[in-house]
Amino acid sequence: MKSHSVWLTGVRHRVPTEYFVLANLRERGAVIGRLADHPIADTVVDASGLRYHFVGVAPRDPSGRFDVEALRTGEWIVQPGLVYALEEKARSPRSKSPRLIRGR
């Protein structure tokens, strides 16, 4: 019987995009642009009070899906395809991240 590691050699697993999308946010700060008729807020705040600042537009893979593997640690997607990064000053050493953040 083959081990699972042998079965998975060369197989690429897709990480569900939903794991990297923030929702139910409140916009804060200035509107600094627009994407797809959606205002881009300089800062957004989640239900826990964590603050995120705009860092760019989410890249897409060849199939047109968001390329979540291109995100850096602490970066999240906000629809319609904006990337926001968790503000470091909002995190304390004891606080837990809102989701598992993949290291780079």
Side-chain angles (χ1 to χ4, degrees):
M1 183 170 168
K2 295 181 179 180
S3 72
H4 290 289
S5 61
V6 173
W7 291 349
L8 298 176
T9 302
V11 175
R12 184 179 172 128
H13 291 281
R14 292 195 142 178
V15 179
T17 303
E18 297 79 25
Y19 293 173
F20 296 90
V21 176
L22 293 174
N24 302 320
L25 302 169
R26 296 182 315 273
E27 296 176 349
R28 295 287 186 255
V31 172
I32 57 173
R34 297 185 82 71
L35 178 66
D37 245 1
H38 179 81
I40 301 171
D42 180 45
T43 303
V44 295
V45 180
D46 69 12
S48 299
L50 295 174
R51 297 172 58 88
Y52 304 82
H53 65 275
F54 175 75
V55 295
V57 176
R60 295 189 181 259
D61 66 17
S63 69
R65 291 172 31 109
F66 291 125
D67 184 1
V68 297
E69 296 204 18
L71 296 173
R72 294 183 179 123
T73 300
E75 290 183 346
W76 302 91
I77 297 172
V78 174
Q79 294 295 355
L82 308 173
V83 177
Y84 282 80
L86 180 63
E87 289 185 0
E88 289 299 318
K89 64 184 177 186
R91 296 166 75 180
S92 71
R94 295 182 188 168
S95 70
K96 293 183 180 179
S97 299
R99 305 176 198 227
L100 177 64
I101 298 176
R102 180 178 46 80
R104 274 248 191 240

